[in-house]
Amino acid sequence: MAHHHVPSLEDTKTTLDGLGGKVFAVSAAVGVIGLVVSIGLGLAEGDDLRHFGYSYLVNFAFFLAIALGALFFLPIQYVTKASWIIVVRRLVEVMAASLPVLALLAVPVVVLAGRIYGWAAPEAGSDPLLAHKVAFLSPRWFTIRWAIYFGLWTWLSFTFWRRSLAQDATGDLRHTHKLENFSGFALLVYALSVSLAGMDLLMSVDYIWFSTIFGVYFWAGGLVSFFAVLTLVTMGLQKTGRLTHIVSPEHFHDYGKLMFAFTFFWAYIAFSQYMLYWYANIPEETGWYLLRSGQGWGKVGMVVLFAAFLLPFAGLISRYAKRNRKMLAFWAAWIVVAQWINLYWVVMPEYSHDFVFSPMDVTLFFGIGGTWLAAITRLAMGRSLVPMKDPRLDDSLRFENA
Amino acid sequence: MAADTQISGLYGLLTEFESPSVLVQAAAQVRDAGYRNWDVHTPFPIHGMDEAMGIRGTQLPFVVLAGGLIGLGLATLMQWWMNAVDYPFVISGKPLFGIPANIPVMFELTVLFSAFAAFFGMWGLNGMPKWHHPLFANRRFLRATQDRFFIVIEARDPRFRLHETSAFLASLGGSEVEEVKESAED
């Protein structure tokens, strides 16, 4: 209603306070224990950490994609001058600013590259199909590229983070204008780096296979998980009495729309990739799908089709579902799991042509996820969870869907 | 009373407001009085008006869903008939009816029929197309696209009683209540 009370920041808690220390301690402990246990499980396999490497790759790619989703969402808000998001934008900034920590977590992938990536294995040199690709797919170049990717992402995310925090103190409008100008350029850098990084990280596991759309596939999946995680984080904070009133069903409705839209977008990209290879039927192109549709992995592929696309699509299509808190929470959690299964299906068939699942896959999820959560909690501690002096904050508080 | 409720040729009663805030309060009163066939007319959208008028959610999504499903079904049937039945022709070893090859057309027709359903469904639910509307003949109503705000209660509303409704409208704080005829010839 037009004449109802516009919520203000005084209505709620906008800092982590005591909660921050607790969440940090618990998630850091879970992260460290998870990583240590995983290394133990990996060594126990007696395969020189090969299985560990693949399992690590799945989970690292999963959390990296979420943080990259956040890094995409920030400049998009600035270039469109969107106001609805402001009240939760700090949460997005925190997730994006965690990228330097993910750079540390990327070290095992680079170190274990020889066990994960066929092109980095000592015996790969003789493969004629690799001969034309060695200039790009060499361990040294791979390492340098990851240094560049993380250098760029850290720079982008910290530019948003620093200026937003600086505005908290002064309310200076120039920060908003600078970031609006910066965002178009940031998106260009983002698109190129993330597209290449997706290919490096996941596509090159099978160096024979290639797909020009793969970077988009990686990015779109991560964006879906990011919206789901943002929904769950906001709901979690509200459960503890933070951000209540100011984040309304109107904002959650928009989360739902984005989750729904990008679920479809991800599926659209996934199918675009699949259909061309199905139609052309060229051996080096179809090999990737053949491996993932036969034996144990075909069933996992069907799970991905239903869990990551058809079911959430049907579940989130109605306005009612997007505005119903419980249903939205359910589908957000569902989507997180489904996107994880998707990455598992992308990576693991290269480790074993038969279906495998090990406790390590779960312990690494908690190991990397716990470390990541500890990092974002640490970043958010002692700071306002809302960009208090953003010029569009008032619009965001008043936001209503038409 | 019968004569009072069915005044031949009367479309409804109109009252005019000068500010949107008064209009929103007046609309809430009309809603609370239990009228169903009535509307407000404003030069621009007013936040909170839907709620003040008690407008319920639209049925349009279901029309769109039906349209989409019909498009999906037609696309599937069409391709199956053309490729697998009427003119079977093997192309690069693909099955005559291969789902991946058919999905683009299934997708496009779903979108097309959904869009048609949304567009024409909106027409249908809004009673369009119309050649003319009784309000267009009202001189005061011309300002509905400029700087005036109107509430109109239609004579076909079950609660409509000429004198009571007229008195009720007059109490809302707008201008004098005016009768609007069904057709300009009267």
Side-chain angles (χ1 to χ4, degrees):
Chain A
M1 262 189 277
H3 45 273
H4 76 174
H5 168 71
V6 175
S8 82
L9 296 187
E10 280 85 65
D11 295 347
T12 186
K13 238 182 180 173
T14 55
T15 53
L16 284 179
D17 294 333
L19 181 72
K22 278 179 218 151
V23 174
F24 176 75
V26 172
S27 54
V30 167
V32 171
I33 294 170
L35 289 174
V36 170
V37 170
S38 305
I39 293 172
L41 288 170
L43 288 171
E45 297 250 330
D47 61 352
D48 201 19
L49 289 178
R50 186 166 171 268
H51 191 179
F52 174 86
Y54 281 91
S55 185
Y56 191 93
L57 179 60
V58 172
N59 286 293
F60 171 71
F62 178 74
F63 287 102
L64 175 67
I66 294 173
L68 287 175
L71 185 61
F72 168 76
F73 200 48
L74 284 174
I76 279 292
Q77 298 308 323
Y78 280 103
V79 291
T80 56
K81 303 192 179 179
S83 55
W84 72 273
I85 186 68
I86 306 295
V87 70
V88 286
R89 200 191 61 211
R90 181 60 44 82
L91 307 180
V92 185
E93 288 164 355
V94 169
M95 285 193 222
S98 70
L99 277 160
V101 177
L102 284 160
L104 288 179
L105 290 169
V107 171
V109 175
V110 175
V111 171
L112 295 174
R115 283 119 170 131
I116 305 169
Y117 299 100
W119 51 263
E123 66 274 13
S126 56
D127 191 337
L129 284 170
L130 185 60
H132 296 290
K133 299 181 180 178
V134 281
F136 193 79
L137 293 178
S138 72
R140 186 195 293 160
W141 256 113
F142 186 75
T143 312
I144 293 172
R145 279 202 301 279
W146 279 101
I148 295 173
Y149 297 148
F150 273 108
L152 291 171
W153 297 338
T154 302
W155 169 53
L156 296 181
S157 64
F158 270 64
T159 307
F160 288 104
W161 175 242
R162 284 226 185 87
R163 285 203 181 267
S164 179
L165 286 180
Q167 195 175 48
D168 268 13
T170 61
D172 192 343
L173 282 181
R174 270 178 304 176
H175 294 301
T176 301
H177 293 144
K178 283 266 185 204
L179 287 178
E180 279 169 3
N181 291 335
F182 177 69
S183 288
F185 173 70
L187 281 168
L188 186 69
V189 174
Y190 177 92
L192 292 173
S193 58
V194 171
S195 189
L196 276 179
M199 293 180 178
D200 265 335
L201 193 66
L202 300 176
M203 192 178 93
S204 80
V205 176
D206 175 358
Y207 62 82
I208 298 170
W209 191 64
F210 50 88
S211 164
T212 47
I213 208 173
F214 194 86
V216 184
Y217 178 67
F218 168 67
W219 161 75
L223 202 53
V224 180
S225 330
F226 159 69
F227 290 130
V229 168
L230 181 61
T231 307
L232 294 173
V233 167
T234 314
M235 285 180 177
L237 285 169
Q238 287 199 328
K239 270 230 152 140
T240 67
R242 288 161 181 84
L243 305 184
T244 49
H245 303 103
I246 56 172
V247 182
S248 69
E250 305 293 334
H251 297 99
F252 283 109
H253 186 184
D254 271 14
Y255 283 173
K257 288 188 228 171
L258 286 164
M259 256 192 280
F260 174 74
F262 277 92
T263 290
F264 197 90
F265 180 76
W266 170 83
Y268 187 99
I269 298 300
F271 177 73
S272 303
Q273 181 174 274
Y274 175 76
M275 190 194 69
L276 289 187
Y277 291 150
W278 180 85
Y279 224 112
N281 203 10
I282 295 168
E284 73 229 49
E285 291 176 353
T286 47
W288 197 84
Y289 280 108
L290 222 51
L291 174 58
R292 282 158 184 79
S293 49
Q295 294 154 12
W297 296 109
K299 291 194 184 89
V300 181
M302 290 312 280
V303 170
V304 171
L305 172 65
F306 279 87
F309 172 48
L310 294 174
L311 296 177
F313 176 81
L316 280 170
I317 198 167
S318 86
R319 180 183 166 97
Y320 173 79
K322 296 185 198 93
R323 292 181 79 92
N324 180 301
R325 206 180 169 84
K326 286 207 173 111
M327 285 178 87
L328 195 66
F330 171 79
W331 285 115
W334 175 285
I335 280 171
V336 168
V337 176
Q339 284 296 331
W340 187 90
I341 298 173
N342 170 50
L343 286 177
Y344 198 79
W345 176 76
V346 166
V347 171
M348 272 301 167
E350 300 296 339
Y351 165 71
S352 158
H353 291 194
D354 294 309
F355 177 75
V356 279
F357 190 81
S358 80
M360 207 157 50
D361 301 322
V362 179
T363 55
L364 274 170
F365 178 88
F366 286 104
I368 298 175
T371 311
W372 184 66
L373 183 60
I376 62 174
T377 310
R378 190 74 200 78
L379 280 164
M381 275 162 71
R383 297 187 163 110
S384 168
L385 297 174
V386 178
M388 307 175 277
K389 295 197 175 155
D390 190 282
R392 296 194 178 91
L393 178 61
D394 191 51
D395 285 351
S396 182
L397 293 173
R398 289 168 187 274
F399 170 65
E400 274 181 51
N401 281 287
Chain B
M1 282 305 273
D4 193 50
T5 51
Q6 296 168 328
I7 307 102
S8 63
L10 183 70
Y11 169 75
L13 293 171
L14 167 145
T15 184
E16 176 185 314
F17 298 87
E18 295 200 358
S19 91
S21 56
V22 183
L23 181 79
V24 171
Q25 283 164 20
Q29 280 178 268
V30 180
R31 172 197 67 195
D32 295 342
Y35 287 101
R36 298 185 61 112
N37 301 102
W38 63 288
D39 209 349
V40 302
H41 302 270
T42 63
F44 50 81
I46 293 173
H47 258 297
M49 186 49 92
D50 284 13
E51 218 166 315
M53 290 180 69
I55 291 180
R56 283 157 299 144
T58 169
Q59 300 300 306
L60 192 59
F62 297 99
V63 179
V64 178
L65 181 66
L69 290 176
I70 290 170
L72 181 69
L74 268 182
T76 314
L77 209 63
M78 177 184 80
Q79 292 181 99
W80 167 77
W81 169 256
M82 288 173 171
N83 300 330
V85 180
D86 192 40
Y87 198 81
F89 197 83
V90 176
I91 300 163
S92 62
K94 297 290 182 298
L96 289 172
F97 184 62
I99 292 290
N102 295 338
I103 283 181
V105 173
M106 287 156 78
F107 172 72
E108 298 298 345
L109 276 198
T110 306
V111 173
L112 183 71
F113 276 62
S114 304
F116 278 158
F119 188 65
F120 294 110
M122 184 273 287
W123 278 26
L125 293 175
N126 283 329
M128 286 159 73
K130 265 193 182 108
W131 300 117
H132 183 70
H133 194 279
L135 282 168
F136 293 164
N138 186 293
R139 287 200 64 79
R140 272 163 70 194
F141 191 73
L142 290 175
R143 290 178 79 174
T145 55
Q146 288 177 16
D147 57 355
R148 286 295 185 276
F149 306 84
F150 296 88
I151 289 183
V152 178
I153 301 181
E154 294 175 33
R156 66 190 169 100
D157 190 288
R159 283 178 181 266
F160 188 89
R161 305 282 182 281
L162 185 58
H163 299 298
E164 289 149 50
T165 305
S166 180
F168 169 69
L169 269 180
S171 73
L172 294 177
S175 72
E176 212 179 317
V177 178
E178 198 173 309
E179 292 186 9
V180 181
K181 298 280 188 246
E182 276 290 355
S183 64
E185 288 89 68
D186 279 6

